[in-house]
Amino acid sequence: MPMHDIKKLLEKYVAGTCTPAERSLIEQWYQQESDRSKVDTTKISFDRLEADIWQQVQLTVAPPAKGLTMTRGRLLKIAASFLLLLGAATMLWLVWPAKEAWQEVIAAKGKPLQFMLEDGTRVWLNAGSQLRYPAHFKGASRQIELITGEICLDVKQDPEHPFFIKSGHVNTRVLGTIFNVRAYSQLAYLQVTVQQGKVAVQCDNKLPQLAGQEVIVLPGEQVTVHTQSQEISKTTVDATAVNGWTTGQLLFNNERLDMISLMLENKFNVTIAFADPALQAYRITAGIEATDTLEDVLTALCLANKLNYSTQNHKITFSKQIH
């Protein structure tokens, strides 16, 4: 945070116009510094200290405007306030959280993104997804956060600075290169799929039944973390098909219909619902090309999987075929 912003924040605190979060930050800092202050002041000559401050004020403070009188005590108060403000600003600069160094990017529906991180890691962020990452990697590790959606990463190798991606209560440690993470906030499960190399998947303490367990995922494997039932399963998949969306294709091999529906929502900017909630777990195998229209996709899905769909007020609803 720039120093002038810190100064404004302190001025807001004095004026009583801080937000609760800003006020809490300053007060926590003040309490922390007060607790750590164990300086012995018994040998300090405060008369001499005041004289020294007064001498510095005379050297640095401009003469008052003509006709304006200012007492020595008033100047000392101004000087002390300024020194306190400057000292607090310096300390706040040191203890302020590093959140300002993080950037957030959102891929709009229908518009997946591709870009590169500072370390050379290539990122494909699927439509409708949200990612946080630092502008500059610092410290012993590199970490990014998938807030919601789907991401494919080709991680730049750097053994001395391991790469982590946080998604909800699941952390994935990269031990290889190309892999995919699906962590849609609308779904009660998360999937990590490896195309090349390997990763280690581990849950935090918010999922107590899974905390501490580490699952190694190898090429062609997909691990699914069920966040509600707190169960982990691993299967063999076509990782290239899972990552097909990075080239505009959607390739589904025994994929759940709720996952497919989310990807269609984000690709075509529509809303999809289910007449029967049980349809969400329906397994689908299908291939969608980049040039296919929404109508083509819905028709093909329904014909091949004994489903119907209806459209009303821009909302698509899947239902079972009635024989």
Side-chain angles (χ1 to χ4, degrees):
M1 172 177 283
M3 187 64 72
H4 67 274
D5 287 343
I6 297 175
K7 182 174 180 294
K8 289 180 180 178
L9 179 60
L10 290 167
E11 289 172 345
K12 286 173 62 179
Y13 182 84
V14 174
T17 58
C18 274
T19 66
E22 292 169 336
R23 183 171 62 253
S24 175
L25 177 64
I26 293 175
E27 291 175 352
Q28 287 176 14
W29 165 80
Y30 179 80
Q31 183 62 49
Q32 178 182 349
E33 293 307 306
S34 297
D35 292 342
R36 289 195 302 198
S37 181
K38 305 297 182 182
V39 179
D40 182 7
T41 61
T42 57
K43 297 181 180 181
I44 295 177
S45 171
F46 285 97
D47 290 339
R48 177 59 183 271
L49 181 61
E50 182 184 10
D52 290 342
I53 293 176
W54 173 245
Q55 183 178 7
Q56 292 300 317
V57 169
Q58 289 178 313
L59 293 174
T60 59
V61 177
K66 191 173 183 179
L68 177 63
T69 59
M70 189 171 293
T71 65
R72 180 171 182 265
R74 176 62 175 163
L75 275 174
L76 281 172
K77 288 181 180 179
I78 293 174
S81 298
F82 176 77
L83 291 173
L84 177 61
L85 183 64
L86 182 60
T90 302
M91 290 305 302
L92 198 58
W93 171 273
L94 296 176
V95 303
W96 188 272
K99 292 182 179 179
E100 287 74 19
W102 284 64
Q103 300 180 4
E104 189 170 301
V105 58
I106 300 175
K109 290 190 175 183
K111 296 181 179 180
L113 298 176
Q114 181 179 345
F115 56 96
M116 190 171 291
L117 299 179
E118 177 201 32
D119 66 337
T121 293
R122 295 181 66 187
V123 178
W124 292 265
L125 189 65
N126 208 348
S129 302
Q130 187 173 356
L131 177 71
R132 291 182 69 246
Y133 63 95
H136 303 287
F137 289 113
K138 298 179 180 179
S141 64
R142 297 168 289 166
Q143 180 168 315
I144 64 175
E145 181 181 0
L146 179 63
I147 298 174
T148 185
E150 183 170 12
I151 189 172
C152 181
L153 294 163
D154 185 351
V155 176
K156 183 72 172 181
Q157 292 298 293
D158 183 356
E160 295 183 358
H161 299 88
F163 194 100
F164 295 84
I165 176 168
K166 176 178 173 57
S167 41
H169 302 305
V170 178
N171 296 301
T172 301
R173 178 166 54 96
V174 179
L175 306 172
T177 51
I178 302 176
F179 68 105
N180 183 288
V181 178
R182 290 172 173 171
Y184 289 95
S185 57
Q186 301 95 320
L187 301 179
Y189 61 93
L190 175 149
Q191 293 178 324
V192 178
T193 308
V194 174
Q195 183 173 334
Q196 293 181 17
K198 62 179 179 179
V199 303
V201 177
Q202 190 173 43
C203 301
D204 64 22
N205 293 330
K206 294 296 180 65
L207 299 175
Q209 296 181 35
L210 301 177
Q213 299 182 36
E214 185 175 79
V215 179
I216 301 297
V217 191
L218 300 175
E221 293 183 339
Q222 180 183 79
V223 64
T224 301
V225 180
H226 300 272
T227 52
Q228 289 187 349
S229 60
Q230 297 194 44
E231 297 175 339
I232 294 181
S233 60
K234 187 163 66 172
T235 58
T236 301
V237 298
D238 182 351
T240 303
V242 172
N243 290 331
W245 61 269
T246 62
T247 59
Q249 297 177 307
L250 294 180
L251 305 175
F252 305 119
N253 184 10
N254 198 35
E255 195 75 72
R256 285 176 57 110
L257 185 55
D258 54 2
M259 177 66 75
I260 294 174
S261 297
L262 268 176
M263 297 182 75
L264 293 179
E265 285 184 340
N266 292 324
K267 181 177 177 63
F268 294 104
N269 195 14
V270 295
T271 301
I272 298 178
F274 303 94
D276 180 356
L279 285 175
Q280 297 179 62
Y282 204 82
R283 294 287 178 172
I284 301 287
T285 297
I288 299 172
E289 297 296 329
T291 56
D292 288 342
T293 66
L294 177 60
E295 184 177 357
D296 291 338
V297 172
L298 295 174
T299 300
L301 286 176
C302 290
L303 286 176
N305 298 282
K306 298 181 180 180
L307 296 171
N308 288 323
Y309 79 90
S310 59
T311 304
Q312 185 176 9
N313 297 328
H314 304 290
K315 181 179 181 180
I316 298 164
T317 302
F318 281 120
S319 59
K320 295 180 180 178
Q321 286 186 3
I322 300 176
H323 299 288

